[in-house]
Amino acid sequence: MLQGHGLKVGTGTIVGATIISAPSSTKNADKKRDPEMHQVAKGKNWFFGMKLHIGVNSRTGLAHSAVVTAATGVFLRCVEVCIVLARLRQTMN
């Protein structure tokens, strides 16, 4: 798509996300669910937990950043954070 407009991307950040499941049970000492955990649907399945967003260098395949949010966290905002962290890391090296 970009090549059709005369643009070439040589390197960049690939960001992916995965759900970290947590028990939804209230059978604990406090009789409450963890307030930082949320429900989210993935396809037809529902999960309770958090979301891990990982930024990976597209050239080397090495992870350079990780952001943990509530399962309902906005993916695009986390992409921005991972890209900013990648740029900060480049300036530090």
Side-chain angles (χ1 to χ4, degrees), residues 45-78:
N45 299 317
W46 281 88
F47 297 90
F48 183 76
M50 299 187 86
K51 206 181 274 184
L52 172 63
H53 307 266
I54 303 169
V56 178
N57 181 298
S58 64
R59 211 169 5 105
T60 64
L62 297 174
H64 55 68
S65 55
V67 179
V68 178
T69 66
T72 55
V74 179
F75 183 73
L76 290 179
R77 180 68 185 129
C78 292

Side-chain angles (χ1 to χ4, degrees), residues 6-79:
L7 300 171
K8 180 182 176 188
V9 177
T11 186
T13 295
I14 300 168
V15 179
T18 188
I19 297 170
I20 303 169
S21 294
S24 60
S25 174
T26 58
K27 296 178 183 176
N28 55 39
D30 296 332
K31 305 284 188 229
K32 295 179 182 176
R33 290 183 175 150
D34 189 331
E36 293 182 0
M37 307 293 167
H38 290 82
Q39 287 184 329
V40 65
K42 185 175 180 182
K44 294 182 180 181
N45 299 317
W46 281 88
F47 297 90
F48 183 76
M50 299 187 86
K51 206 181 274 184
L52 172 63
H53 307 266
I54 303 169
V56 178
N57 181 298
S58 64
R59 211 169 5 105
T60 64
L62 297 174
H64 55 68
S65 55
V67 179
V68 178
T69 66
T72 55
V74 179
F75 183 73
L76 290 179
R77 180 68 185 129
C78 292
V79 169

